[in-house]
């Protein structure tokens, strides 16, 4: 996920403030995920331990912030910009957005399951649950990357143009 993120950042970063903000939030979420999973990029052989309650809280906050920003800030900002320029979403853009929203509830289910754990709680399904979250994030990011590609040209057009 990190190497794919770097490619997306190189390709689309710096073209638009909305996309840059989205990518910065994604980067923070990926960092928090790697910390939680014990996947430190500089210490690949680090011994795996279960996360603390505070580590889970930080990740869950970043996850909810990312999802919320996508749905209620980034997408709304794009739609507002489109209304100003007279652009409207294509069927492909609408279909991609619908696929992205399908990942929302399963990701929020992770948050709901782990948001109020304590350090002494047994996390018997944690590794499996975290793995599923990683797969969902990777799927969502791939869909979002396609969406960024489709909307980037429309966002580079000045309002009213």
């Amino acid at each position: 996920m990190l190497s794919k993120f770097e490619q997306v950042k190189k390709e689309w970063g710096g073209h638009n403030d909305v996309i840059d903000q989205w990518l910065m939030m994604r980067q923070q979420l990926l960092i928090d995920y790697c910390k939680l999973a014990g996947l430190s990029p500089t210490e690949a052989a680090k011994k795996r331990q279960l996360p603390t309650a505070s580590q889970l809280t930080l990740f869950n906050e970043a996850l909810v912030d990312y999802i919320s920003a996508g749905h209620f800030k980034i997408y709304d900002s794009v739609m507002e910009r489109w209304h100003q320029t007279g652009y409207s979403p294509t069927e492909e853009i609408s279909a991609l957005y619908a696929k992205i929203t399908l990942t929302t509830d399963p990701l929020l289910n992770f948050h709901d399951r782990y948001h109020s754990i304590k350090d002494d709680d047994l996390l018997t399904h944690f590794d499996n649950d975290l793995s599923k979250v990683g797969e969902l994030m990777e799927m969502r990011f791939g869909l979002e990357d396609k969406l960024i590609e489709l909307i980037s040209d429309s966002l580079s057009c000045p309002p009213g143009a």
Side-chain angles (χ1 to χ4, degrees), residues 118-136:
K118 296 173 181 45
D119 283 330
D120 59 350
D121 287 347
L122 294 176
L123 303 177
T124 55
H125 301 287
F126 178 75
D127 284 336
N128 189 44
D129 292 343
L130 187 64
S131 177
K132 287 178 185 176
V133 164
E135 291 170 11
L136 287 165

Side-chain angles (χ1 to χ4, degrees), residues 4-5 8 12 22-23 26 96 100 138 140-150:
K4 286 181 185 177
F5 172 75
V8 170
W12 301 111
W22 200 0
L23 292 176
R26 184 189 297 184
L96 273 172
I100 290 168
E138 187 168 16
R140 184 181 187 103
F141 297 160
L143 294 167
E144 289 174 347
D145 293 347
K146 290 177 186 174
L147 187 62
I148 289 170
E149 184 177 347
L150 291 173

Side-chain angles (χ1 to χ4, degrees), residues 27-43:
Q27 182 176 16
Q28 186 58 54
L29 182 61
L30 282 169
I31 290 168
D32 291 343
Y33 178 82
C34 288
K35 286 179 183 176
L36 195 64
L39 301 173
S40 172
T42 58
E43 300 176 36

